[in-house]
Amino acid sequence: MKRFSRPFVAVAVAVMALSAHAAAGHPGLETDVPLPPPPAGTPTTPYPTGDPAVVGQWDRPFPLPVQAEAAAVLPTGKVLLFITNSSPSLWDPATGATKTVPLDDELSINCAGVAFLPDGRLLVNGGHQGDTPWKGHRGTFAFDPWTETWARLADMHEGRYYPGTIALADGRALTVNGNDDQGVDPGTTEIFDGASWAAPVAAPPMEFYPRMHVLPSGDVVRVGQDAEAAFFDPVAGSWRAGPRSSSGMRWGGISVILPGLDRVLVAGGSNFGLSSEGHGQVPALRDGPDRIADNGVAAASDGPNGATAAAEILDLSGGQAAYRSAAPMHLPRRDFAGVALADGDVLVLGGAAGVEPVPGWGDYSFHPELFDSESESWKLMAPAERTRGYHSTGLLLPDGRVLFAGGDFEQTRDTTAAPLTNTGEIYSPPYLFRGPRPLIAAAPRAVSYGERFLVRSSGAPVRGAALVRLGSATHSLNTDQRWVGLDAQVAGGAVHLHAPATGAIAPPGYYMLFLLSDAGVPSVSSIVKVG
């Protein structure tokens, strides 16, 4: 059993021949990777699915009332999906029922920041300012999961379009950069205390939607999309420079903080994108193709604009931050989802190989990949049915499955017909096919930091437990998600657990509590308020 040794738009069209990528020496891709669209009338080849205990299993796509540009798993277990004010919707994974919960306000939440407040409300700040390209507004909203209603909160000091927003260790929320109401990067940071936004402080230049994570020190690290890492001290209110990635910019790449909270996985992306450092007027090409590692066919076909399969680890162990190379993904991807799973591994879903958005399914990565957070290696999983790239989202559900939804150019694997939009797909990871699941018979609804608490279980014997923070995702970004392992003492059906010591380990808010068997099979979670 692993892991319990640690404490718990200018756009272009580009189509890449993935069969050539397979032939370039990437193992296991010769027969199970989507090929470019065949000539009209050519029969399609069935896609092998394999053993679900090895590659997982997909349910068929199902309709959703809205494109899931942004999505969040709420403390009620329902999922909020939205792209604009008129049709935010709730989807209930337990029943499949949907409900529209529109926001009646003149300010748009399209391309806003999202993060959870400690009381379970979803903070949504900034967004697109009317019909004006690249300009953000100052509005702030919160969605209450229990009343299922929206509320307007205090305005920010700066307009923000494509901002990065994250919950801090003390329960406040930080928002960074984006484009202001003049269409330029304000170069500032603001902090929300639940009632008002503090005066802005200076921030270094950043790409849109900065990828950020709270560290055990309480500091925030910005990592992944920008070439240079940076650290923010919420007490001092200041930023300091960090190391530079060998791959340069990773526009549309992902970053996920790994178990132990001293490593951050960064993967995929492109060195070409819509840049707030270019003041949102034109795409900014900052790093040459020599700075993108392992682009493979993407580099040959798209030059510096293609996606990369390269991955790195920002290693924070030993008190020093340094990037080191990690095994590359099997497929190049940009504008994809990275999901922290119930067992601490990471699932990446979708994305495109070239410049996004791209119509036509030959450019998309249908196959998810599973990153083993202990061995730091990748495995290809069973293919999804629909293309999902830019404006798609992936989230871990309370039952251990994964919702994959949205995307601007949904098409099935066997057609290039008109897009079929607004669906979701459910993926069951391999761990759900590896034996019986533990069952949570009783668990507390809330725990305090450092508290020892009891969970009653039945079903499969329990080996360990973890808290996974409820996710809120948009534009390949999910600053809320994190996997926190718990010290566990098990005696029959009694599982004694020790809550995280501080908010720097688990920022205050709602988490999915999973019990895990010897085989790493998770229970259905119990949603618990921490802190």
Side-chain angles (χ1 to χ4, degrees):
M1 180 77 181
K2 61 183 179 181
R3 266 179 299 283
F4 296 107
S5 60
R6 291 178 177 269
F8 290 135
V9 180
V11 298
V13 175
V15 177
M16 188 190 91
L18 290 177
S19 57
H21 183 266
H26 292 264
L29 300 188
E30 289 78 5
T31 60
D32 60 351
V33 171
L35 301 176
T42 302
T44 57
T45 302
Y47 286 79
T49 56
D51 181 355
V54 176
V55 296
Q57 180 174 284
W58 289 91
D59 293 345
R60 294 191 63 81
F62 60 93
L64 289 170
V66 61
Q67 182 182 338
E69 175 195 271
V73 179
L74 303 174
T76 58
K78 296 180 181 179
V79 180
L80 177 69
L81 311 166
F82 65 88
I83 186 169
T84 61
N85 296 34
S86 61
S87 57
S89 297
L90 292 173
W91 171 69
D92 188 341
T95 65
T98 60
K99 173 186 177 181
T100 302
V101 285
L103 170 59
D104 184 16
D105 198 279
E106 72 278 7
L107 297 179
S108 171
I109 55 174
N110 186 14
C111 299
V114 290
F116 277 108
L117 298 171
D119 61 7
R121 291 178 299 160
L122 183 70
L123 177 71
V124 180
N125 65 295
H128 198 278
Q129 186 188 122
D131 296 325
T132 307
W134 312 119
K135 293 185 179 181
H137 63 72
R138 305 183 185 195
T140 305
F141 305 90
F143 184 79
D144 187 313
W146 291 279
T147 64
E148 298 181 349
T149 57
W150 292 91
R152 179 81 176 262
L153 305 181
D155 284 358
M156 296 177 288
H157 296 273
E158 310 272 13
R160 298 189 186 272
Y161 168 75
Y162 275 51
T165 304
I166 187 172
L168 297 175
D170 60 7
R172 297 179 298 165
L174 170 79
T175 195
V176 180
N177 294 65
N179 269 4
D180 64 14
D181 50 14
Q182 300 303 307
V184 298
D185 181 351
T188 60
T189 292
E190 298 182 54
I191 294 180
F192 184 67
D193 65 5
S196 62
W197 293 91
V201 299
M206 300 187 192
E207 297 300 332
F208 284 140
Y209 281 121
R211 277 66 166 141
M212 297 183 291
H213 308 279
V214 174
L215 300 177
S217 64
D219 287 355
V220 173
V221 61
R222 182 210 70 192
V223 59
Q225 185 145 276
D226 288 86
E228 301 83 11
F231 297 88
F232 178 71
D233 182 338
V235 177
S238 60
W239 290 86
R240 65 185 186 275
R244 181 185 172 91
S245 160
S246 63
S247 290
M249 178 182 171
R250 288 181 177 272
W251 177 264
I254 58 105
S255 72
V256 180
I257 193 165
L258 298 174
L261 308 180
D262 59 1
R263 296 171 298 153
V264 181
L265 169 70
V266 294
S270 169
N271 70 332
F272 181 88
L274 300 170
S275 173
S276 61
E277 291 188 32
H279 305 296
Q281 302 302 313
V282 294
L285 180 61
R286 303 187 310 156
D287 290 329
D290 58 316
R291 299 206 64 94
I292 294 292
D294 194 31
N295 254 349
V297 171
S301 62
D302 292 330
N305 304 346
T308 180
E312 293 173 281
I313 299 289
L314 180 64
D315 198 322
L316 302 157
S317 61
Q320 293 242 323
Y323 276 106
R324 57 178 170 82
S325 295
M329 297 180 292
H330 292 276
L331 298 171
R333 303 172 193 264
R334 61 172 285 164
D335 303 313
F336 62 110
V339 180
L341 296 179
D343 66 351
D345 288 344
V346 177
L347 183 74
V348 298
L349 302 123
V355 177
E356 270 271 58
V358 173
W361 63 268
D363 198 48
Y364 282 81
S365 302
F366 286 89
H367 288 258
E369 296 186 46
L370 190 66
F371 179 79
D372 186 305
S373 63
E374 185 175 85
S375 67
E376 298 185 358
S377 60
W378 298 91
K379 292 181 180 178
L380 281 170
M381 297 290 109
E385 180 65 27
R386 294 287 176 88
T387 58
R388 301 189 193 277
Y390 197 63
H391 290 159
S392 65
T393 48
L395 290 169
L396 179 68
L397 298 175
D399 62 6
R401 298 180 300 165
V402 174
L403 171 67
F404 190 32
D408 285 346
F409 296 103
E410 282 194 45
Q411 292 170 311
T412 58
R413 292 196 309 265
D414 57 357
T415 182
T416 55
L420 304 168
T421 58
N422 298 352
T423 70
E425 292 176 82
I426 299 294
Y427 178 72
S428 296
Y431 55 46
L432 294 179
F433 303 93
R434 293 176 178 166
R437 307 180 73 167
L439 303 173
I440 296 178
R445 295 185 177 181
V447 296
S448 300
Y449 291 122
E451 178 183 351
R452 295 188 179 277
F453 63 99
L454 175 65
V455 174
R456 296 288 182 184
S457 72
S458 59
V462 173
R463 171 68 181 275
L467 292 167
V468 183
R469 187 171 169 90
L470 296 176
S472 63
T474 187
H475 293 77
S476 301
L477 172 74
N478 188 337
T479 61
D480 272 316
Q481 70 177 349
R482 67 201 283 124
W483 190 94
V484 181
L486 302 179
D487 291 332
Q489 295 180 334
V490 182
V495 182
H496 298 271
L497 300 172
H498 195 180
T502 69
I505 303 299
Y510 284 84
Y511 290 73
M512 296 173 281
L513 170 64
F514 288 99
L515 300 180
L516 294 112
S517 74
D518 279 336
V521 181
S523 66
V524 173
S525 71
S526 180
I527 296 179
V528 177
K529 186 177 184 182
V530 176

